[in-house]
Amino acid sequence: MPSLRTALLQSSGRPGAVAENLKALDEAAARAADAGARLLVAPELFLTGYAIGGAVPELAEPAEGPGAKAIAEIAVRHGLAVLYGYPERDGERIFNASQLIGADGVRLANYRKTHLFGCFEQEWFTPGEQTVVQAELDGIRIGLLICYDVEFPENVRAHALAGTDLLLVPTAQMHPFQFVAESVVPVRAFESQMYVAYVNRTGPEGEFEFVGLSCLAAPDGVVRTRAGHGEELVIGEVDPEFLAASRAANPYLADRRPGLYGSLA
């Protein structure tokens, strides 16, 4: 099975400017496709911006809303799948969500963030209730989490037990928590034996200072590609043969004793 070339778009776009963010995503998709990528991953709430405060209700849209249709056109035009973050409206509730759209423009998965971070998110969003959301892309099982979710080892282990090969984590990781990108994410990849694509925003935005440092971590705990602190598009390979060999060599999942862990729940 061939590797899945994956592009990570580290950018904050322009908060509140959906049209401009779609243009930036389109340009990134063109560059990613030219580099042979089959998947482009954008950060948390990329469609609208993260620090949008009271504009959340105004900018939120259904999963099949105009933003999704525009991104489906981008995916088809450039022949690659796209994962992006957006505020999802479902009736009176709003979720911090991410959506994966295939290269044919068809929605493959939609995930709602289960662990909300800080006062801003807890004020405006409803937490999701489904931990494991997956899709198949080029023979690789894709899983979705968002930012703070990956900091809970239970979430990542649930994906490992469900067979996730590549975990996509659109992120809005801010100062002073850069150790998550530097240390926690590679450990998550190693301890649960999967690739993890952690894709961050960058620079100042409202009251936040995003740290960048997007990365693709492999199941051996080694980062295959890493962005710096600015706007950047980085590309890495998700190699299913290496993943299979790593899983065969690493006994973590096989040596688990679930009967001892009941108290964790």
Side-chain angles (χ1 to χ4, degrees), residues 29-245:
R31 287 187 286 142
D34 286 346
R38 291 283 297 149
L39 170 63
L40 171 65
V41 186
E44 181 176 5
L45 294 176
F46 183 76
L47 183 64
T48 60
Y50 185 89
I52 53 177
V56 169
E58 173 189 347
L59 293 174
E61 63 174 60
E64 67 281 3
K69 293 174 182 175
I71 291 172
E73 293 174 359
I74 291 171
V76 170
R77 180 159 55 249
H78 299 292
L80 80 175
V82 178
L83 184 283
Y84 70 100
Y86 74 109
E88 179 196 355
R89 177 175 293 283
D90 184 358
E92 295 300 313
R93 299 179 301 170
I94 300 173
F95 298 92
N96 183 337
S98 66
Q99 190 152 228
L100 178 63
I101 295 179
D104 57 0
V106 175
R107 183 174 67 211
L108 300 178
N110 189 72
Y111 170 76
R112 296 165 170 177
K113 188 174 186 178
T114 55
H115 294 73
L116 301 179
F117 178 80
C119 298
F120 164 68
E121 291 188 19
Q122 293 169 10
E123 178 180 1
W124 293 108
F125 297 108
T126 298
E129 295 295 334
Q130 188 173 357
T131 301
V132 177
V133 172
Q134 296 172 310
E136 296 289 327
L137 181 63
D138 290 358
I140 290 175
R141 186 169 295 181
I142 305 289
L144 308 182
L145 291 178
I146 298 175
C147 197
Y148 193 39
D149 289 332
V150 81
E151 297 177 40
F152 293 81
E154 300 91 342
N155 280 345
V156 184
R157 183 52 56 84
H159 271 276
L161 297 177
T164 291
D165 301 316
L166 168 60
L167 187 63
L168 305 183
V169 189
T171 293
Q173 182 63 67
M174 57 200 70
H175 180 80
F177 305 111
Q178 54 265 28
F179 66 88
V180 174
E182 294 169 339
S183 301
V184 173
V185 169
V187 168
R188 291 286 176 271
F190 179 72
E191 69 190 5
S192 281
Q193 286 298 290
M194 63 179 66
Y195 284 88
V196 180
Y198 187 79
V199 187
N200 200 9
R201 306 178 71 82
T202 180
E205 188 178 329
E207 63 184 287
F208 307 109
E209 177 76 29
F210 298 114
V211 300
L213 299 175
S214 300
C215 66
L216 177 66
D220 58 358
V222 176
V223 170
R224 293 297 191 261
T225 188
R226 166 85 73 187
H229 294 284
E231 300 267 339
E232 196 169 349
L233 182 74
V234 296
I235 295 176
E237 303 285 345
V238 175
D239 183 348
E241 291 187 4
F242 180 82
L243 176 60

Side-chain angles (χ1 to χ4, degrees), residues 8-54:
L8 316 183
L9 173 59
Q10 180 167 285
S11 172
S12 289
R14 285 195 58 186
V18 172
E20 294 193 34
N21 294 335
L22 287 170
K23 181 181 178 183
L25 189 65
D26 190 25
E27 293 171 350
R31 287 187 286 142
D34 286 346
R38 291 283 297 149
L39 170 63
L40 171 65
V41 186
E44 181 176 5
L45 294 176
F46 183 76
L47 183 64
T48 60
Y50 185 89
I52 53 177

